[in-house]
Amino acid sequence: MNIIEATQIIKNAILNIYTEREASLIAKYVVEDITDHQLEFNEDVETLILQAKERLLQQEPWQYISGWADFYGLKFKVTPDVLIPRPETEELVSMALNYIHKKQINYVLDIGTGSGIIPITIGKKAKQSLKIEASDISQSALNIANENAHFHNVNISFILNDILDQNNWHLLPKVDLVTSNPPYIGQEEKSNLSSHVINFEPHLALFANHHVLEFYEAISLMVMQFQNPGCLVLVEINELYGNEVCDVFIKNGLINVHSHVDMQGKKRIVQGEKPNK
């Protein structure tokens, strides 16, 4: 078996699940990641290819099978302990990088960091030196994020912290920019999700505990009570609740609050700012 044959085997196997274009891309990425672009490979690699085919037939995300996901032109290690990066999150990172450069921000905190894609990409792509910290409630996720930070040679301090527990807020650093892509899917939306998401990705990172606004409530209050004056907040949101997230930010005292639409025309990012006084 060679790389061309392996790609064709996987593509043909999943054509009933995905479109031809999707099947071609998935087969290409899986084979390349498993074989590390080797043209010819041994029996052990052939076994991995056949195992990958069977896992794909169960609709397991290909990123978990290969162990890698692409984000912002970078490779990130992923496991079922962390979400698979979404393209829309790249827009949040782009916006953060723009503000970091424009406002000369030098201290960043990412909340609910998962695999670490947001802070690591910011650290990798920023034009100036930054101090970056990132928190998550899951130690397993932080372990993956730490591996990704070392892989990309980005210095980040990781903190085990539950943002929904206000008794932990004082343990977070005082920064100039807070970013977050928190759990924002309501329990009632589970039936709308595809099987490869609901069956394989971590529910802790997908679903809000009680209501879809709870993380935005916590983040905005934490910023108002503990962060530096002028601290900027950028969060990814559920497209259905853009106005509601803005209302939460305004109610809790943030200023210059507004939402941004993504390339699909959906409200995906909300920003706010702690007053300077």
Side-chain angles (χ1 to χ4, degrees):
M1 186 188 296
N2 58 38
I3 193 168
I4 296 174
E5 293 169 340
T7 304
Q8 195 64 44
I9 286 171
I10 288 184
K11 177 186 174 182
N12 290 341
I14 61 176
L15 274 174
N16 289 335
I17 302 173
Y18 300 97
T19 67
E20 182 163 356
R21 180 177 181 276
E22 289 171 333
S24 295
L25 288 173
I26 290 171
K28 174 179 180 292
Y29 291 140
V30 168
V31 172
E32 285 181 352
D33 285 338
I34 289 176
T35 65
D36 196 24
H37 297 81
Q38 300 173 62
L39 295 179
E40 301 281 345
F41 31 84
N42 59 31
E43 187 176 327
D44 290 339
V45 176
E46 288 187 14
T47 299
L48 291 175
I49 293 294
L50 296 177
Q51 289 174 344
K53 182 189 75 171
E54 294 305 314
R55 292 169 69 180
L56 284 167
L57 288 172
Q58 300 303 313
Q59 298 192 43
E60 182 174 353
W62 65 265
Q63 294 93 335
Y64 290 153
I65 296 170
S66 71
W68 296 93
D70 297 292
F71 182 80
Y72 218 94
L74 303 172
K75 285 276 190 183
F76 287 89
K77 179 178 180 179
V78 292
T79 73
D81 290 314
V82 298
L83 287 181
I84 295 167
R86 267 60 169 183
E88 52 265 29
T89 307
E90 294 186 358
E91 298 186 48
L92 184 147
V93 170
S94 291
M95 192 173 297
L97 287 168
N98 180 57
Y99 277 117
I100 287 167
H101 177 68
K102 182 179 178 180
K103 295 179 176 290
Q104 290 298 295
I105 289 169
N106 54 34
Y107 202 169
V108 179
L109 169 65
D110 184 52
I111 295 172
T113 198
S115 60
I117 57 169
I118 292 175
I120 292 168
T121 305
I122 287 173
K124 194 82 172 174
K125 301 290 185 177
K127 296 178 181 178
Q128 68 255 42
S129 177
L130 297 171
K131 185 171 183 180
I132 304 174
E133 303 200 37
S135 71
D136 202 285
I137 193 175
S138 167
Q139 184 61 57
S140 298
L142 290 177
N143 293 341
I144 298 298
N146 195 42
E147 287 187 45
N148 282 322
H150 282 295
F151 179 77
H152 287 292
N153 196 29
V154 177
N155 185 23
I156 297 176
S157 296
F158 292 103
I159 309 163
L160 185 66
N161 191 284
D162 179 5
I163 190 63
L164 295 183
D165 184 354
Q166 63 182 11
N167 294 319
N168 291 328
W169 291 351
H170 72 283
L171 300 173
L172 296 170
K174 296 183 183 300
V175 301
D176 306 308
L177 170 63
V178 170
T179 60
S180 185
N181 178 20
Y184 55 61
I185 302 174
Q187 297 290 334
E188 71 282 358
E189 296 180 72
K190 283 185 177 180
S191 61
N192 298 331
L193 298 179
S194 60
S195 59
H196 68 269
V197 173
I198 198 72
N199 292 336
F200 293 99
E201 298 201 61
H203 288 200
L204 182 66
L206 286 169
F207 299 103
N209 292 344
H210 303 292
H211 60 88
V212 294
L213 301 177
E214 62 187 348
F215 284 92
Y216 306 105
E217 185 83 36
I219 290 168
S220 54
L221 285 173
M222 183 278 295
V223 168
M224 288 300 298
Q225 293 177 27
F226 288 97
Q227 292 305 321
N228 290 333
C231 178
L232 183 67
V233 186
L234 290 174
V235 294
E236 188 170 324
I237 64 167
N238 185 325
E239 64 183 89
L240 301 175
Y241 297 97
N243 293 337
E244 289 82 353
V245 174
C246 287
D247 290 343
V248 167
F249 276 20
I250 293 168
K251 170 180 69 83
N252 289 335
L254 295 178
I255 60 173
N256 299 327
V257 175
H258 54 274
S259 60
H260 300 269
V261 297
D262 65 9
M263 290 183 290
Q264 308 301 319
K266 299 176 180 178
K267 290 183 179 179
R268 279 293 188 182
I269 299 169
V270 167
Q271 74 172 71
E273 188 176 332
K274 180 177 179 177
N276 278 308
K277 294 182 181 180

